[in-house]
Amino acid sequence: MTENLFSNLEPLGFSEFFKAQLADFDPAQNALGRIVFQHSGFFDVMLSLDEVRPAFLSGRIKHLTRARSKMPAAGDWVIMGKDKGDQLPILSILQRSSELKRKVPDRTPSQILAANIDFVFIVHSADASFSMNRLEKHCYVAEHSRINYAIILNKTDLCPETAERLKLIKEKFTGKTVIPLDSVNKKGYEELAPLFIPRQTSVFIGPSGAGKSTIINNLCGREVLKTGAIRERDLQGRHTTTTRKIIILPNGHLIMDTPGIKLVFFDETLTDMEKFQIIRETALTCRFTNCKHLTEPDCAVKKAVEAGEIPEDLYLSWMKYSGK
């Protein structure tokens, strides 16, 4: 029975590394699954390709796990109790094979963005929004996490300076795979194919509007994620990735797609509209869809301001701009 359970989990990235930790696992009393979404102490956990269950932190794990970096994250494998209710209590977390994390100013330890990630695809657009400064920051996240990564320079059809930008990127990130893509005409995808190893898990990170959803749709051969246009006037991207799931490519590679994986970076290269867009993306993970970002509980924007991730003066400017 246990072997059958593990075989059902293998398509979700379950490997011998995790199996070795389950010598005392009792499938009659417990359930095993992988977190695909987290928000304010509640989780969506995949028990198989066909079953997703809501879960919550048990009192035991809250008591034993006080450090934020040790709390469950997207991608974690967790053991849950089998209750009669719809929601399952998370009892423990299996040791992680990797942690995608970022250093938050004035905070220790690092913020865990996702767990058990094998590869990171860093997607930036070759158009006028391109910023080497931002690219360096995204690459640092993967390097700091000790996870291998590749750089995708997307929308090369919109940039006559593609060759020059590719040269600069390759000189800066010596030895790293750098792939130019034209997602409209679907050029360059043959170079990506060898990087998608069956039953390994990757994430796509990069600025809003860089074309991450379009790339994933092209890889799947159908629309699994909604895509949004970019207004040429101000290059303001609309947040388009709102699904909460693991996407499985035809060859069995897994892409973790969750709004919980966010990188909030503000620097002088961003326009005000681009900064506001990042705040809008953060607001999508607020507890309430009609959150006014003032005194509501579990407001993701206010939490980011308190944590120093969003500058307070920028938050006030955004509130004024939004008419709130």
Side-chain angles (χ1 to χ4, degrees):
M1 181 176 178
T2 303
E3 290 298 325
N4 290 335
L5 173 62
F6 291 157
S7 64
N8 290 337
L9 294 172
E10 287 172 359
L12 300 178
F14 190 78
S15 66
E16 290 296 326
F17 174 83
F18 303 109
K19 184 178 178 180
Q21 303 176 47
L22 296 171
D24 299 324
F25 179 75
D26 182 1
Q29 299 294 325
N30 302 116
L32 179 66
R34 191 173 193 187
I35 295 175
V36 293
F37 180 74
Q38 64 172 117
H39 178 57
S40 301
F42 294 92
F43 307 84
D44 288 342
V45 182
M46 289 192 76
L47 278 65
S48 69
L49 289 175
D50 303 315
E51 184 178 8
V52 179
R53 294 285 296 275
F56 63 95
L57 294 176
S58 66
R60 177 178 179 274
I61 199 170
K62 284 182 180 179
H63 176 72
L64 296 176
T65 311
R66 297 186 181 277
R68 184 177 179 182
S69 63
K70 301 300 181 182
M71 297 296 282
D76 266 325
W77 288 96
V78 292
I79 296 175
M80 298 161 289
K82 284 188 174 180
D83 286 6
K84 294 181 180 180
D86 181 52
Q87 293 190 354
L88 302 179
I90 296 176
L91 305 176
S92 62
I93 310 166
L94 298 191
Q95 180 185 345
R96 296 164 177 163
S97 61
S98 67
E99 295 176 336
L100 181 65
K101 55 191 176 182
R102 62 169 293 225
K103 186 68 177 176
V104 180
D106 302 322
R107 291 180 64 184
T108 303
S110 298
Q111 176 189 5
I112 304 300
L113 301 167
N116 303 313
I117 301 300
D118 300 296
F119 203 87
V120 178
F121 291 94
I122 300 171
V123 184
H124 278 242
S125 175
D127 62 18
S129 67
F130 177 79
S131 164
M132 182 64 81
N133 188 318
R134 254 185 295 176
L135 177 59
E136 289 176 355
K137 289 183 177 181
H138 283 109
C139 291
Y140 173 77
V141 169
E143 291 171 357
H144 175 62
S145 304
R146 298 182 180 180
I147 301 176
N148 197 14
Y149 65 93
I151 299 169
I152 298 175
L153 188 64
N154 196 27
K155 302 185 180 181
T156 55
D157 54 303
L158 301 178
C159 179
E161 296 87 18
T162 292
E164 181 181 343
R165 285 186 176 159
L166 281 172
K167 182 175 181 292
L168 291 173
I169 294 172
K170 290 179 179 179
E171 289 175 351
K172 181 69 178 180
F173 302 97
T174 305
K176 287 298 177 184
T177 300
V178 182
I179 300 174
L181 279 190
D182 174 353
S183 289
V184 174
N185 300 302
K186 299 183 180 180
K187 294 181 179 178
Y189 283 82
E190 64 282 355
E191 294 186 56
L192 273 179
L195 300 178
F196 295 105
I197 299 173
R199 296 188 176 179
Q200 285 196 359
T201 304
S202 65
V203 295
F204 280 61
I205 63 175
S208 177
K212 297 182 291 293
S213 296
T214 299
I215 293 172
I216 293 173
N217 287 339
N218 286 340
L219 290 168
C220 292
R222 59 191 176 89
E223 185 176 64
V224 294
L225 298 177
K226 293 181 180 180
T227 59
I230 301 294
R231 292 203 297 270
E232 185 176 352
R233 179 173 57 85
D234 57 13
L235 295 171
Q236 178 186 353
R238 288 192 290 112
H239 179 82
T240 55
T241 307
T242 57
T243 52
R244 304 170 182 177
K245 57 186 175 182
I246 282 182
I247 298 165
I248 303 178
L249 298 185
N251 75 337
H253 182 86
L254 300 99
I255 299 174
M256 180 159 290
D257 169 59
T258 166
I261 302 177
K262 290 191 175 298
L263 302 174
V264 182
F265 294 127
F266 298 100
D267 58 53
E268 67 281 356
T269 66
L270 298 179
T271 66
D272 286 344
M273 290 299 101
E274 288 175 314
K275 292 177 182 178
F276 290 166
Q277 175 61 20
I278 294 175
I279 300 178
R280 277 192 289 270
E281 292 181 10
T282 303
L284 288 173
T285 58
C286 289
R287 178 179 177 183
F288 301 106
T289 56
N290 62 345
C291 183
K292 297 184 182 299
H293 318 297
L294 294 171
T295 58
E296 293 84 355
D298 297 322
C299 171
V301 173
K302 290 292 289 183
K303 284 184 177 181
V305 173
E306 292 168 2
E309 297 176 8
I310 296 177
E312 186 170 6
D313 58 343
L314 180 62
Y315 159 75
L316 295 174
S317 296
W318 175 70
M319 292 290 284
K320 183 177 180 180
Y321 173 82
S322 303
K324 298 181 180 181

